[in-house]
Coordinates of all heavy atoms in Angstrom, one line a residue:
E51 N 138.2 -118.9 -56.9 CA 138.7 -117.7 -56.3 C 139.2 -116.7 -57.4 O 139.0 -115.6 -57.4 CB 139.7 -118.0 -55.3 CG 140.0 -116.8 -54.4 CD 141.0 -117.2 -53.3 OE1 140.8 -118.2 -52.6 OE2 142.0 -116.4 -53.1
M52 N 140.0 -117.3 -58.3 CA 140.7 -116.5 -59.3 C 139.9 -116.2 -60.5 O 140.0 -115.1 -61.1 CB 142.0 -117.2 -59.7 CG 143.0 -117.5 -58.6 SD 143.3 -116.0 -57.5 CE 144.3 -115.1 -58.6
E53 N 139.1 -117.2 -61.0 CA 138.4 -117.0 -62.3 C 136.9 -116.9 -62.0 O 136.1 -116.7 -63.1 CB 138.7 -118.2 -63.1 CG 140.1 -118.3 -63.5 CD 140.4 -119.6 -64.4 OE1 139.4 -120.3 -64.8 OE2 141.5 -119.8 -64.7
G54 N 136.4 -117.1 -60.8 CA 134.9 -117.1 -60.6 C 134.3 -118.4 -61.1 O 134.9 -119.2 -61.7
E55 N 133.0 -118.5 -60.8 CA 132.3 -119.7 -61.3 C 132.3 -119.8 -62.8 O 132.4 -120.9 -63.3 CB 130.9 -119.7 -60.7 CG 130.1 -120.9 -61.0 CD 128.8 -121.1 -60.4 OE1 128.4 -120.2 -59.6 OE2 128.1 -122.2 -60.6
A56 N 132.2 -118.7 -63.5 CA 132.1 -118.7 -65.0 C 133.4 -119.3 -65.5 O 133.3 -120.1 -66.4 CB 131.8 -117.3 -65.5
G57 N 134.6 -118.9 -65.0 CA 135.8 -119.5 -65.4 C 135.9 -121.0 -65.2 O 136.3 -121.8 -66.1
F58 N 135.4 -121.4 -64.1 CA 135.4 -122.8 -63.7 C 134.5 -123.6 -64.7 O 134.8 -124.6 -65.2 CB 135.0 -123.1 -62.3 CG 134.8 -124.5 -62.0 CD1 135.8 -125.4 -61.9 CD2 133.5 -125.1 -62.0 CE1 135.6 -126.8 -61.8 CE2 133.3 -126.4 -61.8 CZ 134.4 -127.3 -61.7
R59 N 133.3 -123.0 -64.9 CA 132.3 -123.7 -65.8 C 132.9 -123.9 -67.2 O 132.5 -124.9 -67.9 CB 131.0 -123.0 -65.8 CG 130.3 -122.9 -64.5 CD 129.8 -124.3 -64.0 NE 129.3 -124.2 -62.6 CZ 129.4 -125.2 -61.8 NH1 129.9 -126.4 -62.1 NH2 129.0 -125.1 -60.5
E60 N 133.7 -122.9 -67.7 CA 134.3 -123.0 -69.0 C 135.2 -124.2 -69.1 O 135.2 -125.0 -70.0 CB 135.0 -121.8 -69.4 CG 134.1 -120.7 -69.8 CD 134.9 -119.4 -70.2 OE1 136.1 -119.5 -70.6 OE2 134.3 -118.3 -69.9
R61 N 136.0 -124.4 -68.0 CA 137.0 -125.4 -67.9 C 136.2 -126.7 -67.8 O 136.6 -127.8 -68.4 CB 137.9 -125.3 -66.7 CG 138.9 -124.2 -66.8 CD 139.7 -124.0 -65.5 NE 140.6 -122.9 -65.6 CZ 141.8 -122.9 -66.3 NH1 142.2 -123.9 -66.8 NH2 142.5 -121.8 -66.2
E62 N 135.2 -126.8 -67.0 CA 134.4 -128.0 -66.9 C 133.8 -128.4 -68.2 O 133.7 -129.6 -68.5 CB 133.3 -127.7 -65.8 CG 132.4 -128.9 -65.5 CD 131.3 -128.5 -64.4 OE1 130.5 -127.6 -64.6 OE2 131.3 -129.2 -63.4
A63 N 133.2 -127.5 -68.9 CA 132.6 -127.8 -70.2 C 133.6 -128.5 -71.1 O 133.3 -129.5 -71.8 CB 132.0 -126.5 -70.9
R64 N 134.9 -128.0 -71.2 CA 135.9 -128.6 -72.1 C 136.2 -130.0 -71.6 O 136.3 -131.0 -72.4 CB 137.2 -127.8 -72.0 CG 137.0 -126.4 -72.9 CD 138.3 -125.7 -73.1 NE 139.0 -125.3 -71.9 CZ 138.9 -124.2 -71.3 NH1 138.1 -123.3 -71.8 NH2 139.6 -123.9 -70.3
A65 N 136.3 -130.2 -70.2 CA 136.5 -131.5 -69.7 C 135.4 -132.5 -70.0 O 135.6 -133.7 -70.4 CB 136.8 -131.4 -68.2
I66 N 134.2 -132.1 -69.9 CA 133.0 -132.9 -70.1 C 132.9 -133.3 -71.6 O 132.7 -134.5 -71.9 CB 131.7 -132.2 -69.7 CG1 131.7 -132.1 -68.2 CG2 130.5 -133.0 -70.2 CD1 131.8 -133.4 -67.3
E67 N 133.2 -132.3 -72.5 CA 133.2 -132.7 -73.9 C 134.2 -133.8 -74.2 O 133.9 -134.7 -74.9 CB 133.5 -131.5 -74.7 CG 133.5 -131.7 -76.2 CD 133.7 -130.5 -77.1 OE1 134.0 -129.4 -76.5 OE2 133.6 -130.6 -78.3
E68 N 135.4 -133.6 -73.7 CA 136.5 -134.6 -73.9 C 136.2 -136.0 -73.2 O 136.2 -137.0 -73.8 CB 137.8 -134.1 -73.4 CG 138.9 -135.1 -73.7 CD 140.3 -134.6 -73.0 OE1 140.5 -133.3 -73.0 OE2 141.0 -135.4 -72.6
L69 N 135.9 -135.9 -72.0 CA 135.7 -137.2 -71.1 C 134.4 -138.0 -71.6 O 134.5 -139.2 -71.8 CB 135.5 -136.9 -69.7 CG 136.8 -136.4 -69.0 CD1 136.5 -135.8 -67.6 CD2 137.8 -137.4 -68.9
S70 N 133.4 -137.3 -72.0 CA 132.2 -138.0 -72.4 C 132.4 -138.6 -73.8 O 131.6 -139.5 -74.2 CB 131.0 -137.0 -72.5 OG 131.1 -136.0 -73.5
G71 N 133.4 -138.2 -74.5 CA 133.7 -138.7 -75.8 C 134.6 -140.0 -75.8 O 134.9 -140.7 -76.8
M72 N 135.0 -140.4 -74.5 CA 135.7 -141.6 -74.3 C 134.8 -142.8 -74.5 O 133.6 -142.6 -74.5 CB 136.5 -141.5 -73.0 CG 137.5 -140.4 -72.9 SD 138.2 -140.3 -71.3 CE 139.8 -140.9 -71.6

Side-chain angles (χ1 to χ4, degrees):
E51 191 175 316
M52 301 309 287
E53 299 178 3
E55 185 172 359
F58 170 74
R59 296 292 172 213
E60 285 177 29
R61 292 177 183 279
E62 181 178 57
R64 288 192 300 269
I66 293 302
E67 181 176 8
E68 180 185 328
L69 292 166
S70 67
M72 298 173 106

